[in-house]
Amino acid sequence: MDAGTALGFALPIGVAMAAIGSGLGLGKAVGSAMEAMGRQPEAAGKIQTGMIIGAAFIEALTIYALVTVFILQGKM
Amino acid sequence: MGLDFINRVAKASVILALIQLPFVTVYLGWQIALGVLLGAFWGAANLMLIKYIVTGVITPNPKSKKRALILGAVKFPLLYGLGYLLLISEIFTPVSLLAGFTIIFLVAFLKALGRYLLDNKIISSEMPKNFNKE
């Protein structure tokens, strides 16, 4: 197997793993934040801000994976 | 740390990207400078749209829920579609877009670090008492 073929296999698997990971992470983060807001409604503002920043970080990781795939695609 | 923090982070990262524009244009070229700026816009738009969607879904008002659903439906195809077009265009390098996209997280980290240091009185924003005293 040459490098191009290996990249052809690895790139879609890499993006899929990033998407699955960020999906699981987002689900867990938002679920926990909702639970925390339900327990302590007076701290909802702070929890919400932390959750939004966390969600943006998680989403960014998927975008990084996508951009990395685009960079590597040019080397196939 | 309220929702105002997110607005200030987005604003600061766009300002930072605008400041870098002339310097990076001179030293590395306009394509990289514009790529960084567009990446910063992409990150700021991403963060603001997440904020609007989350606040719209959590607020009990049915109108804001509807607005959040519309924003959610628009966000993914529009933002990722534009990102895809930027990436496949040969004008900007993917690394410059990625650098611009990272600015917002750098700003958020530094703002949070600054707030932590100020709140715990590790550094002080007040002037010393004997400042300007001959």
Side-chain angles (χ1 to χ4, degrees):
Chain A
M1 192 190 291
D2 64 331
T5 318
L7 268 180
F9 277 116
L11 293 181
I13 292 171
V15 173
M17 278 170 70
I20 291 168
S22 73
L24 287 173
L26 263 178
K28 192 158 171 49
V30 175
S32 302
M34 292 296 147
E35 206 180 304
M37 274 189 246
R39 280 177 200 269
Q40 276 188 304
E42 67 275 6
K46 282 185 178 178
I47 297 166
Q48 214 175 342
T49 309
M51 183 187 78
I52 291 168
I53 298 271
F57 267 101
I58 294 167
E59 218 175 289
L61 287 178
T62 323
I63 293 172
Y64 287 152
L66 192 73
V67 174
T68 311
V69 164
F70 274 106
I71 294 169
L72 290 174
Q73 220 173 21
K75 295 181 178 171
M76 271 173 64
Chain B
M1 195 169 79
L3 287 173
D4 188 45
F5 177 80
I6 294 170
N7 296 338
R8 279 190 286 125
V9 165
K11 213 185 288 178
S13 48
V14 169
I15 291 169
L16 191 67
L18 284 171
I19 290 170
Q20 64 78 37
L21 193 68
F23 300 102
V24 178
T25 306
V26 169
Y27 289 109
L28 298 171
W30 68 271
Q31 284 158 320
I32 292 176
L34 207 59
V36 172
L37 182 70
L38 288 173
F41 275 129
W42 188 10
N46 189 30
L47 188 67
M48 291 309 284
L49 281 171
I50 290 173
K51 190 197 101 177
Y52 285 128
I53 291 167
V54 169
T55 47
V57 167
I58 289 172
T59 314
N61 185 7
K63 258 187 186 174
S64 63
K65 276 197 187 7
K66 209 179 277 178
R67 201 183 64 181
L69 277 176
I70 294 166
L71 273 176
V74 167
K75 183 203 167 199
F76 291 99
L78 191 76
L79 211 60
Y80 293 120
L82 280 177
Y84 177 74
L85 286 178
L86 285 175
L87 285 170
I88 59 165
S89 74
E90 299 286 314
I91 308 165
F92 313 108
T93 57
V95 176
S96 67
L97 287 167
L98 215 58
F101 192 77
T102 313
I103 285 178
I104 200 155
F105 301 111
L106 198 71
V107 170
F109 173 74
L110 289 174
K111 269 191 183 289
L113 183 72
R115 182 158 294 190
Y116 170 79
L117 293 175
L118 283 172
D119 287 351
N120 290 298
K121 305 228 166 45
I122 297 168
I123 53 168
S124 172
S125 61
E126 288 170 15
M127 289 286 185
K129 279 178 188 160
N130 58 353
F131 187 77
N132 252 356
K133 212 173 183 182
E134 294 296 320

